[in-house]
Amino acid sequence: MEPTQIYLVTPRHIDLETFPAQLQAAMDGGEIAALLIDSETANDNELQKIAQTIAPMAQKHDIAVVLRGDSRVAGRTKCDGLHLDGDLTDIQNNVEDLSNRFMLGAEGGNKRHSAMEIGESGIDYIMFGRLDAPTADTIHEKSLEMAEWWSALFEVPAVIIGGMDLGECAKVSAMGIEFIALREAIWDHEAGPQVAVREAVSLLAEGAASAE
């Protein structure tokens, strides 16, 4: 079994004076599949400056860069993907308009029927858990159940939102879930982002090996 891959999520507040060095340290820690730029800023110019600064850094390491919510900024900054917000109709309309330009993903909710409808919209990944929810120590039980169910049955890859406890990486990987979204567990790690990513990669490999 292949280990679960890291879907790294930026901090909600991005300080361009300090964050590029943190991102570089995280990338030096081990393989990261994708980076989601999810910034709390409501200012388009500020978001564009963030993406222009960090997207090329990640892409240089063959990391797919996904921007949350703004297709214009994503296009102008040559991001690889777009994380969609909104209800099913919004997602379907965005897929119709944007699937030829971006890799697309969206949250799948906590009900199987609605997740299946979202998964059938044409998105490229489905996320379980809520990006806007405060980060807990552990993964929400219902979200984990949904991601495990999804990964066992469907081809669209699942992303589970991880908690502060990196130890859960092994459990997620043993379940065969394709991606784990890590945020505070990396950026707030007491030993820094490089050590945090190295630890996560090791735990993901352990989990995959235990399931074989």
Side-chain angles (χ1 to χ4, degrees):
M1 179 188 290
E2 289 295 316
T4 297
Q5 297 183 76
I6 295 174
Y7 185 103
L8 188 61
V9 185
T10 64
R12 291 174 171 86
H13 174 71
I14 299 171
D15 181 351
L16 285 179
E17 293 293 319
T18 57
F19 182 68
Q22 292 177 300
L23 176 59
Q24 186 60 55
M27 294 188 297
D28 289 343
E31 188 171 344
I32 295 164
L35 175 70
L36 175 62
I37 301 173
D38 180 19
S39 170
E40 65 189 10
T41 181
N43 184 306
D44 278 4
N45 290 334
E46 187 178 346
L47 182 61
Q48 182 165 327
K49 188 175 179 184
I50 288 168
Q52 281 175 331
T53 302
I54 65 178
M57 290 178 62
Q59 288 163 335
K60 188 178 175 183
H61 288 257
D62 295 322
I63 297 170
V65 178
V66 183
L67 185 77
R68 184 178 179 189
D70 194 318
S71 61
R72 292 168 303 171
V73 173
R76 288 197 293 260
T77 57
K78 296 182 171 58
C79 289
D80 305 288
L82 191 67
H83 184 88
L84 304 172
D85 293 313
D87 60 18
L88 176 61
T89 302
D90 293 329
I91 292 168
Q92 289 170 330
N93 290 338
N94 275 300
V95 168
E96 191 174 322
D97 293 340
L98 301 169
S99 61
N100 62 332
R101 296 173 55 203
F102 301 108
M103 172 181 75
L104 301 172
E107 291 178 11
N110 60 7
K111 292 185 171 57
R112 293 188 177 191
H113 177 70
S114 59
M116 288 168 67
E117 288 184 319
I118 291 167
E120 289 167 357
S121 68
I123 55 172
D124 299 291
Y125 70 83
I126 187 166
M127 181 177 281
F128 294 102
R130 289 178 48 234
L131 283 167
D132 290 337
T135 302
D137 286 341
T138 57
I139 297 170
H140 191 276
E141 192 173 323
K142 180 64 175 177
S143 300
L144 192 61
E145 177 193 312
M146 288 287 291
E148 184 180 22
W149 161 75
W150 183 275
S151 294
L153 294 176
F154 301 100
E155 288 188 12
V156 174
V159 181
I160 181 70
I161 295 181
M164 289 291 293
D165 181 4
L166 279 179
E168 291 199 309
C169 286
K171 177 169 69 174
V172 167
S173 199
M175 289 176 170
I177 298 167
E178 290 87 355
F179 297 92
I180 184 168
L182 297 174
R183 190 178 224 162
E184 284 90 343
I186 300 300
W187 309 120
D188 296 347
H189 194 284
E190 61 184 6
Q194 183 172 349
V195 171
V197 170
R198 190 181 304 139
E199 187 179 328
V201 168
S202 176
L203 288 163
L204 292 170
E206 282 178 27
S210 72
E212 290 177 353

